[in-house]
């Protein structure tokens, strides 16, 4: 089960348990404490939704910084800690029932933080290669164009650039497989034109494409894990 869906299910159970308890104990409830606690519940759900939205924005390059993720997660942990302090009018039997669900939510929040750290790390590497791969490949093509003998390799690089740009916008297994085959073919051609492709620029362009191919499915999987 995805983390956010698990949190949502746990919260449904949590709120149901609270509602049942509050209904049966309505005569002894401190309404100020009741309202304070429910506000924290609603706020927790809102912050979790905000965190998910910002993950998507960062994944698809609508946000360029990670501070919002750190802030949302920090607030989520504070609220989760606040919720662990149950209202004083809840008796021992109700406290045990509610605490069981709170323990699950606490574990899921911790897990979400760990997955978020992996997402930030992998996405930062992917974002860097997405940014620099096109220019690196184009510069390699320009360098090779100075010598007409490497025409076959130039055509291979131009095709791989076109396909990797498509893969960035619409990643799928078939295109990823085609790109890997193209990289294998470029490696063979590289041995034939070794004196023209010994520059760091050429190696960097290939490295960026390999990073895009290896990191895109990982980042997508981490994104899905964080969301519903």
């Amino acid at each position: 089960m995805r983390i956010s869906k698990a949190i949502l299910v746990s919260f449904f159970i949590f709120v149901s348990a609270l509602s049942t308890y509050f209904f049966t104990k309505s005569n002894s409830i401190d309404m100020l404490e009741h309202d304070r606690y429910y506000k924290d519940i609603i706020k927790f759900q809102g912050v979790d939704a905000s965190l998910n939205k910002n993950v998507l924005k960062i994944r698809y390059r609508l946000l360029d910084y990670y501070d919002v993720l750190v802030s949302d997660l920090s607030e989520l942990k504070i609220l989760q800690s606040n919720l662990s302090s149950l209202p004083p009018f809840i008796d021992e039997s109700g406290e045990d029932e509610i605490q069981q669900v709170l323990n699950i939510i606490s574990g899921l929040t911790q897990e979400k933080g760990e997955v978020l750290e992996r997402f930030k790390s992998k996405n930062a590497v992917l974002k860097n290669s997405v940014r620099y791969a096109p220019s690196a490949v184009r510069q390699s093509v320009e360098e090779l164009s100075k010598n007409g003998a490497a025409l076959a390799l130039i055509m291979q690089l131009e095709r791989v650039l076109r396909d990797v740009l498509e893969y960035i916008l619409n990643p799928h297994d078939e295109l990823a497989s085609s790109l890997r085959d193209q990289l294998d073919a470029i490696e063979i051609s590289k041995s034939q034109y070794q004196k023209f492709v010994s520059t760091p620029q050429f190696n960097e362009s290939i490295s960026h494409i390999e990073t895009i191919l290896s990191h895109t499915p990982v980042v997508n999987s981490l994104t899905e894990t964080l969301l519903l």
Side-chain angles (χ1 to χ4, degrees), residues 115-220:
V115 175
L116 198 62
E117 286 302 312
R118 295 201 296 274
F119 167 81
K120 288 161 55 181
S121 174
K122 295 293 184 180
N123 190 65
V125 174
L126 174 60
K127 179 182 173 183
N128 180 72
S129 287
V130 166
R131 179 179 180 181
Y132 290 110
S135 60
V137 175
R138 290 190 185 102
Q139 289 177 33
S140 295
V141 168
E142 289 175 5
E143 290 178 1
L144 289 167
S145 297
K146 296 174 184 177
N147 190 300
L151 181 59
L153 184 55
I154 290 172
M155 293 177 64
Q156 288 176 316
L157 284 173
E158 288 177 338
R159 182 188 174 191
V160 84
L161 175 58
R162 183 192 68 229
D163 286 356
V164 81
L165 289 173
E166 179 183 345
Y167 183 76
I168 289 169
L169 295 175
N170 181 30
H172 56 85
D173 292 343
E174 184 178 349
L175 186 53
S177 178
S178 173
L179 280 165
R180 291 190 180 92
D181 290 342
Q182 290 178 54
L183 290 178
D184 290 341
I186 288 173
E187 187 64 26
I188 294 173
S189 297
K190 177 182 174 181
S191 63
Q192 299 174 2
Y193 303 105
Q194 189 64 48
K195 63 180 179 179
F196 305 120
V197 296
S198 58
T199 62
Q201 186 68 49
F202 181 89
N203 294 330
E204 180 184 346
S205 64
I206 300 302
S207 177
H208 281 312
I209 294 171
E210 290 173 340
T211 297
I212 290 170
L213 286 174
S214 64
H215 279 59
T216 295
V218 174
V219 171
N220 285 347

Side-chain angles (χ1 to χ4, degrees), residues 11 14 18 33-44 47 73-88 90 98-99 102 105-106 109:
F11 251 94
F14 175 51
L18 276 178
E33 279 293 313
H34 168 278
D35 291 346
R36 188 271 307 170
Y37 200 75
Y38 259 103
K39 284 179 181 178
D40 281 346
I41 292 174
I42 294 170
K43 192 173 182 181
F44 185 101
V47 174
L73 183 62
S74 177
E75 188 172 3
L76 208 59
K77 290 180 176 179
I78 291 172
L79 287 167
Q80 182 262 312
S81 178
N82 290 346
L83 290 173
S84 65
S85 299
L86 297 176
I90 295 179
I98 295 167
Q99 192 62 53
L102 282 173
I105 293 172
S106 176
T109 303

Side-chain angles (χ1 to χ4, degrees), residues 18-19 21-40 87-90:
L18 276 178
S19 298
Y21 181 86
F22 289 161
F23 179 77
T24 57
K25 302 289 185 178
S26 57
N27 292 331
S28 60
I29 288 176
D30 181 335
M31 292 307 297
L32 289 177
E33 279 293 313
H34 168 278
D35 291 346
R36 188 271 307 170
Y37 200 75
Y38 259 103
K39 284 179 181 178
D40 281 346
F89 55 78
I90 295 179

